[in-house]
Amino acid sequence: MAGNLNVMASVAFKGLLERFEPEFRQSTGFVFAPVYAPAGTVVKRIRTGATADVVVVTPETMKLLIDEGLAMAGSERNIATSVVGVAVRTGAPRPKIATPDDVRTALIAAKSVAYTDPSTGAASGVHFVQLLERFGIADAVKAKAKLGDGGPVAEFVARGEAEIAIQQLCEHMLVPGVDVVGPLPDELNKTTVFTAGVTRSAAAPDEGAALIKLLLAPHVRAAMPSHGLTPV
């Protein structure tokens, strides 16, 4: 075995990377050593010297890493997009989320709501808090919030610790024991773009570039919807 490829990525890519690791291993001899974290956390770790060959973050975060000399300009490629959605525990009543009023009503009625702590820099967490402020219910929902640190917040729902989870649909799909209700209405939703790039400190830059090439391959792109992602 040639070695490990250190990958720092949004948890949105966990299912896809696990699915195609065997193919990557067969073609390069490298296995993934993944760390899944929100974009803001990835930046903090890279700045403090954490080891990574490839990062998968938002385009804004990638630009920041390139501007700070932490990622290689020209290595970055937009890979996929995802939208924010709602999940409940398997078998639980599904709230109506067809309109903004439906969503507001569901959030007020829920005894507990799980979402990612916006301080992590996670796109869905930041966006959701903005929605709460727009609805005028930020304090009410924060009082009954279950905050995630970058992993799938649907795990709170699966354990019965929250009634509703709000996060990227692709992240809900990683959790057994939950039902994905669907995406937020278009008027409330946010499409997040995920970009992959090679870091300046990469120990395996060629294999990092090979992973990005694999993620752009037609057969991988065709598999993305089954993981809640839309190829760019």
Side-chain angles (χ1 to χ4, degrees):
M1 193 66 66
N4 292 334
L5 186 73
N6 294 296
V7 182
M8 280 194 187
S10 164
V11 72
F13 270 70
K14 186 173 188 290
L16 193 73
L17 289 174
E18 288 179 348
R19 177 171 177 175
F20 288 99
E21 180 182 30
E23 178 179 339
F24 186 79
R25 182 172 66 246
Q26 184 174 15
S27 64
T28 66
F30 276 64
V31 298
F32 297 151
V35 172
Y36 297 107
T41 303
V42 170
V43 171
K44 291 176 184 176
R45 291 180 176 178
I46 297 295
R47 281 173 173 166
T48 55
T51 301
D53 298 304
V54 178
V55 292
V56 183
V57 290
T58 62
E60 298 80 8
T61 304
M62 185 64 69
K63 182 179 185 304
L64 183 66
L65 291 171
I66 290 171
D67 289 347
E68 293 186 10
L70 299 171
M72 295 175 59
S75 70
E76 74 278 14
R77 295 291 185 276
N78 290 340
I79 303 296
T81 64
S82 180
V83 296
V84 178
V86 177
V88 297
R89 196 173 189 181
T90 298
R94 298 187 176 206
K96 289 177 60 179
I97 59 169
T99 68
D101 283 345
D102 288 339
V103 174
R104 187 179 188 278
T105 298
L107 292 173
I108 292 172
K111 294 179 180 178
S112 47
V113 181
Y115 56 96
T116 306
D117 189 337
S119 69
T120 65
S124 66
V126 172
H127 177 65
F128 182 60
V129 169
Q130 292 170 346
L131 287 183
L132 295 179
E133 292 169 352
R134 172 177 161 185
F135 284 149
I137 59 173
D139 289 342
V141 173
K142 288 177 184 178
K144 56 185 179 182
K146 295 290 186 179
L147 296 179
D149 61 3
V153 298
E155 291 177 353
F156 288 111
V157 171
R159 294 194 296 264
E161 298 172 14
E163 286 190 6
I164 294 178
I166 312 290
Q167 200 176 36
Q168 306 283 352
L169 284 180
C170 50
E171 297 177 66
H172 291 327
M173 294 170 68
L174 294 169
V175 181
V178 304
D179 290 335
V180 177
V181 180
L184 293 175
D186 290 345
E187 309 97 295
L188 301 181
N189 220 316
K190 176 181 175 62
T191 298
T192 299
V193 179
F194 294 103
T195 302
V198 178
T199 69
R200 281 283 182 188
S201 59
D206 292 343
E207 287 74 20
L211 173 58
I212 296 173
K213 183 178 180 180
L214 175 62
L215 291 174
L216 293 169
H219 68 291
V220 177
R221 289 166 57 84
M224 287 180 181
S226 66
H227 294 277
L229 298 166
T230 300
V232 173

